[in-house]
Amino acid sequence: MATVNSTPSAHDRINELTEEIKIRSTPFRRLLDEIGRVIVGQRQLIHRMQVGLLTNGHLLIEGVPGLAKTTAVACLAKGISTDFQRIQFTPDLLPADLIGTQIYRPQQQDFAIQKGPIFSNLILADEINRAPAKVQSALLEAMQERQVTIGHHTYKLEEPFLVMATQNPIEQEGTYPLPEAQMDRFMLKVLVGHPTRDEEIQILERMSKTKTSMEVNPTLSPEEILRARDLVDQIYVDEKVRDYIVDLVMATRDPGAYRLPLADLIQYGVSPRATISLTLAAKANAFLCGRGYVVPGDVKEIAPDVLRHRLIVTYEAEAEEKTSDDVVRSILDHVAVP
């Protein structure tokens, strides 16, 4: 007598995961709308911050002052009922100003630990490239290891932990461009542009007052974010989508193999960390769309933010006024989509 196989198929498991994700991702979409009541536009920036939260990755934000970068992070912190610290990076900033230090107590004849502002859930490192290398290294060590060492004691940073670092263009005086090895530690580099004309009118109507509302109702808890990360890890990536991700990465290293005339424009292709980050970010994008599986569109949407700061262009590219964004766009246009 034949036995009936009651083991659920991969298709059934994906469908079950999708149904659960539709429920678990609803608070994230509500958060986007909630922040939208305060901030006009910048939905891509807020979306990318949510991707960072879901993937345990950090963001490097580049944009001129006045584009609501600080406000966006503050609203995000309010929306998930968690701590937020803004740290202004300056040339005289010291690592102890960031991570904390030991203070001697004469009465007790011992040292007490004074924790720095890094001990928070959401960190805005404003103008990170204005601080010297030691401070940048202290921040990036905390980002990578999720811990801080003060004296002989090591302290774990509480999850979720997201660093959003803003950067001024390197042409401005008094800046220290981040080395490529440090740039690679950021999962995403997001370019923040000016609002459209209609958005500018909305900003004028909403913000041209002596008192403006910054009320954001909490829609998420840190515990919900950690549970959502478990679901992101389970999201299905088909073999064809996986190959597409690898092809995009390999095309930055050997464009000739993909019949792309970009060899003279690329000095260094992206690292394996880009492959991992692109896969995780595509999974997070699928989660925010309420899907239990990744489609090529998820990869294509998030790829510029993952690759632009990792791809190093040549002097010839700079002479032709070609940026890493131009090269990434060309790769995305020519590499076959499954």
Side-chain angles (χ1 to χ4, degrees), residues 302-336:
I302 209 79
D305 296 322
V306 175
L307 302 179
R308 63 164 55 98
H309 57 298
R310 294 182 164 98
L311 189 147
I312 311 301
V313 297
T314 61
Y315 290 115
E316 288 84 352
E318 294 177 359
E320 296 178 18
E321 297 185 348
K322 298 284 187 181
T323 65
S324 61
D325 275 303
D326 296 324
V327 177
V328 170
R329 195 177 303 113
S330 181
I331 290 172
L332 290 170
D333 288 342
H334 288 87
V335 173

Side-chain angles (χ1 to χ4, degrees), residues 7 11 101 194 324:
T7 304
H11 184 73
T101 187
H194 287 100
S324 61

